[in-house]
Each structure stands twice: as C-alpha cells, then as structure tokens.
C-alpha cells in the first residue's frame, strides 16, 4: 500500500473559506460574516483557552490523573466557530471530543474531566447548558439528536439542534438512519461532521469514495464543506445552517474539513499508522495562527493582547489541574443511584449485595 503524504493537505476546490491559513480575509458568494474587532479578539481568546484546557488534560492523563483523554488539538476552529453560532435555546449533542463546544455552552472545563477521571458518568446537567452528555458509542447521538429536533418541531419552538460526529461515524447505520429521519420529517437539525481525516487508524478513504458533504444530496438535503480550521467560515456556515433549521427549511450537513493533530486518544500512537509529513502540512493551516496573523495584519491586536491571553491560559490550566486533583472520589454505592428514575427491586437487591461485599473489606 502506498501512503499519499499530501492527502487532505491541499484545500479542495469546493471548500468554504473566509480566512486563509496566512490570515488573509477572502470573500465567498454564499457566506459572509461581519465581525467587530472585539468579536475577533474574543474568538482568538476562546481558541487559545480551549487549546490550553486540552493540553492540560493530556498532561493530567500522562501523570495518571485521568484514565483517558480525547484531544481536540487542531479542531478548535470547527468547534468554537460552530459553538459560537448557537443561541441559548439551541441544543447540542456532542461526541467525546467536543471540549470547545462545551466551552461555548458555558460548561466549566473541570466538569469535562470527571468522566475521564472515572468519578462520574457525565458531569454536567444537559438541560442547564443545552449541551448533552458526551457520547462514546459512535454515531448513536445522531438518532438522539434527530428525535430531540422532531420534538422541538412539534413544540413549534424557535430553536435548532446540532449534532456532532466524525468522518468515521458516517459509516455507521445510526448516522444514515438519522439522516433519513431528519430528511423525511424536515427536522430542524444541523449535522456537523468534523472530518479530521482519521477514525483512529482508519483513513478517510476507508469511509467514502466521494466528499462526505455530497452524501447529503442522496438523503435529500443540502451539504456544505467548510474549512474546519477557519473559525470565521465555521461560524458563518453553521449560523446559516442553524437559521435554515429554525425557519422550517430542514436539515443541513456541514462537513468541517479539518485534521486531528494529536493522537485519537491518549491510548493511541499515531506514528504507527501515519506519516509525519502529513501532520507537518496541516500545521501550516493551524486554526489559531491564522487568526493571530489576521489580528496583527489588520492592527486589531498587539503583542500585549496576545501575552494577556497567554497569561489567562496559564491561569486556566493551573486552576483546572488544582480542581481536577481535588475532585472527590464517588461513594461506591452511588453507581446504582440513577439506573432508573424510580426505585427498582432488582437494583435495590444488587445495591444491598454490593454493600455486603464492600463490608467484607472493613478491618
Ligand atoms: C459503535 C462503536 N463502534 C466502535 C467504537 C470504537 N471507536 C471509538 S472512536 C472510533 C473512531 C471514530 O472516528 P470518527 O467518527 O472519525 O471520530 P474521531 O474520533 O476522529 O473524532 C471508534 C471506531 C465505538 N466507540 N462505538
Ligand atoms: Mg475522525
């Protein structure tokens, strides 16, 4: 087998881009965005801060403080751009990698760590943030999201649903079924696929022979491919798709063309299956560097601003570490607490059995 080292590194022609890797603003006939300097600075700040949260979490895992971590490195723009497009009443369904979207939904980053530290089964209240719990079973959340969107439609609420999934997930039956349900019910939903080129060690070519966004037409709704490393474009494209959903125009598939710069999770070693030059090519398209270049080129920020954001990131990282280590271990019997919403005889029996078992360890 030959490996094409440049795979995915050249921008495909049908890519919506508003900010080039060099930080040049470009126009697109169908998508526009009018951001104030303050908004651009705040996007930059978000990108830097979520990257730091991610870095700190990887370090915590390496030191044995988390069981596992799924890094978002390289996907910050796709997540902050789409996350910022959401209104408070919109609902988001994530995978296990959407730390940037969680940030935009106001979830305290330390709450993301509980699941990965094994001290809880989720960590936040989905209703409080309109951000569902992380979902590990690939693609299953697309069905949950379409069901939710159909409910929103029946409530006649002015809200959209967005569901995140990966390139690999597009091969799952659940995802294809969810496309059909969304299509035939005209559900108010945005399917946001982060095509990070890999599903663990499986490259994109193992999932599809056509660009992923083009699959949408077979299901009867529009698809668009956006530069997933361009936060302006991700914001503009997602905003438009969400607005279409809210105004009765049904689903859209957004394919955010991006790259997983790190390992699949901390249990994975990507050097075993991908060549270093691929990563090097994508580093030139870094989602943060292009916003920084844009800010400098247009004199919207100075070094003092960049340093201040860096200092804030240091503070955030240190705070996250301190609060992670202070997270209490759960009471062992708590595992039975939320199996059913109402008391259940079998669960009570199991709880009692486990309590007796634990008693056996007492001195
Ligand atoms: C139903 C199911 N099958 C297999 C797995 C194991 N698994 C975890 S992540 C993953 C790859 C997912 O790739 P992709 O959808 O591209 O998302 P990414 O991790 O790249 O963000 C697989 C196969 C799983 N979690 N669930
Ligand atoms: Mg992937």
């Amino acid at each position: 087998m030959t490996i094409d080292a440049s795979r995915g590194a050249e921008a495909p022609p049908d890519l919506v881009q508003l900010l080039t890797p060099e930080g040049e603003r470009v126009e697109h006939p169908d998508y526009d965005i009018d951001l104030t300097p303050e908004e651009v600075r705040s996007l930059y700040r978000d990108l830097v801060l979520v990257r730091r949260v991610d870095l700190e979490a990887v370090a915590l895992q390496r030191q044995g403080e988390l069981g596992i971590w799924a890094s978002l490195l390289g996907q910050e723009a796709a997540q902050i751009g789409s996350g910022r497009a959401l209104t408070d009443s919109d609902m988001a369904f994530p995978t296990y990698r959407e730390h940037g979207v969680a940030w935009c939904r106001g979830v305290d980053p330390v709450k993301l760590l509980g699941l990965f530290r094994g001290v809880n089964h989720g960590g936040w209240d989905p209703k409080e943030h309109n951000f569902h719990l992380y979902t590990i079973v690939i693609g299953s959340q697309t069905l949950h999201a379409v069901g939710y969107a159909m409910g929103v439609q029946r409530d006649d609420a002015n809200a959209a649903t967005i569901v995140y999934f990966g390139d690999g997930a597009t091969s799952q039956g659940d995802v294809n079924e969810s496309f059909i349900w969304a299509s035939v019910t005209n559900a108010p939903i945005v399917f946001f696929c982060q095509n990070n080129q890999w599903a663990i060690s499986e490259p994109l070519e193992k999932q599809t022979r056509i660009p992923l966004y083009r699959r949408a037409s077979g299901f009867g709704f529009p698809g668009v491919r956006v530069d997933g490393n361009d936060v302006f474009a991700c914001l503009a494209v997602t905003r438009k798709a969400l607005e279409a959903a809210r105004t009765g125009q049904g689903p859209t598939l957004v394919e955010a063309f991006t790259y997983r710069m790190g390992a699949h999770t901390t249990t994975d070693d990507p050097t075993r299956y991908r060549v270093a030059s691929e990563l090097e090519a994508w580093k030139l398209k870094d989602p943060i560097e292009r916003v920084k270049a844009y800010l400098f080129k247009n004199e919207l920020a100075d070094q003092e601003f960049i340093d201040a954001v860096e200092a804030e990131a240091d503070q955030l990282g240190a705070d996250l570490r301190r609060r992670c280590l202070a997270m209490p271990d759960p009471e062992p019997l708590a595992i039975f607490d939320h199996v059913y919403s109402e008391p259940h005889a079998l669960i009570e029996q199991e709880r009692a059995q486990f309590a007796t078992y634990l008693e056996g360890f007492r001195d």
Side-chain angles (χ1 to χ4, degrees):
M1 189 180 102
T2 55
I3 296 172
D4 175 5
S6 66
R7 184 177 53 80
E10 286 307 311
D14 45 5
L15 191 75
V16 178
Q17 186 180 70
L18 298 177
L19 188 64
T20 69
E22 294 74 35
E24 296 291 345
R25 190 67 174 81
V26 285
E27 299 302 323
H28 189 282
D30 301 327
Y31 296 93
D32 195 17
I33 197 153
D34 194 14
L35 295 166
T36 64
E38 188 49 44
E39 283 171 321
V40 181
R41 283 192 291 268
S42 128
L43 284 170
Y44 175 81
R45 174 178 170 271
D46 278 357
L47 294 168
V48 171
L49 295 186
V50 298
R51 180 169 286 188
R52 183 58 66 91
V53 166
D54 189 71
L55 250 160
E56 198 62 43
V58 171
L60 282 164
Q61 195 284 331
R62 293 296 186 232
Q63 291 160 2
E65 299 296 345
L66 301 179
I68 188 172
W69 181 252
S71 168
L72 64 45
L73 188 67
Q75 299 177 220
E76 295 88 350
Q79 297 192 13
I80 297 297
S82 61
R84 283 286 204 98
L86 297 165
T87 64
D88 285 349
S89 46
D90 294 336
M91 179 71 186
F93 286 79
T95 68
Y96 38 79
R97 205 186 288 286
E98 269 67 72
H99 320 311
V101 186
W103 174 264
C104 295
R105 299 312 273 169
V107 177
D108 181 341
V110 80
K111 293 190 172 174
L112 302 176
L113 304 185
L115 178 70
F116 296 97
R117 193 170 163 85
V119 299
N120 60 44
H121 290 153
W124 59 91
D125 177 355
K127 273 181 89 169
E128 186 188 335
H129 300 282
N130 269 7
F131 184 68
H132 197 263
L133 294 179
Y134 276 176
T135 305
I136 312 285
V137 180
I138 301 298
S140 57
Q141 74 280 7
T142 57
L143 286 169
H144 310 157
V146 172
Y148 185 94
M150 288 167 63
V152 168
Q153 187 181 42
R154 277 148 187 78
D155 289 345
D156 214 7
N158 182 29
T161 300
I162 189 166
V163 58
Y164 292 87
F165 54 99
D167 43 289
T170 64
S171 299
Q172 288 289 111
D174 282 4
V175 176
N176 290 270
E177 289 163 24
S178 78
F179 285 179
I180 294 170
W181 276 96
S183 173
V184 298
T185 62
N186 202 41
I189 189 160
V190 176
F191 292 105
F192 196 92
C193 176
Q194 285 171 88
N195 174 2
N196 64 9
Q197 315 297 328
W198 292 92
I200 315 184
S201 55
E202 289 289 290
L204 183 66
E205 302 88 79
K206 293 281 170 72
Q207 317 290 348
T208 189
R209 288 176 64 157
I210 60 163
L212 290 175
Y213 77 95
R214 279 173 44 196
R215 291 220 185 134
S217 72
F219 291 91
F221 53 87
V224 54
R225 180 183 264 181
V226 60
D227 182 341
N229 287 16
D230 171 355
V231 73
F232 294 178
C234 288
L235 178 57
V237 166
T238 313
R239 236 181 217 167
K240 198 167 174 176
L242 289 167
E243 193 48 24
R246 284 188 214 105
T247 54
Q249 296 169 65
T252 305
L253 170 62
V254 177
E255 176 192 358
F257 201 79
T258 181
Y259 192 70
R260 193 197 78 209
M261 289 170 80
H264 169 70
T265 66
T266 47
T267 60
D268 170 50
D269 174 8
T271 64
R272 301 280 298 272
Y273 55 82
R274 66 185 193 189
V275 291
S277 55
E278 185 180 295
L279 175 60
E280 291 311 310
W282 277 92
K283 276 186 186 166
L284 301 173
K285 297 161 168 249
D286 188 281
I288 301 185
E289 287 308 312
R290 71 177 74 183
V291 181
K292 189 174 170 183
Y294 175 82
L295 284 169
F296 279 143
K297 264 184 204 165
N298 294 281
E299 297 182 2
L300 302 177
D302 51 16
Q303 192 56 43
E304 204 180 317
F305 167 77
I306 302 294
D307 294 345
V309 174
E310 210 52 35
E312 196 182 349
D314 289 345
Q315 186 71 42
L316 178 66
D319 187 54
L320 189 64
R321 165 170 295 270
R322 186 181 52 73
R323 292 195 298 147
C324 174
L325 302 187
M327 254 192 260
D329 280 345
E331 160 60 36
L333 292 176
I335 198 165
F336 298 100
D337 282 354
H338 301 292
V339 180
Y340 293 109
S341 58
E342 290 173 4
H344 188 283
L346 181 62
I347 296 294
E348 289 318 314
Q349 197 187 332
E350 288 177 348
R351 185 199 299 270
Q353 264 175 8
F354 193 52
T356 310
Y357 172 76
L358 292 174
E359 273 300 313
F361 292 96
R362 253 191 227 285
D363 290 332

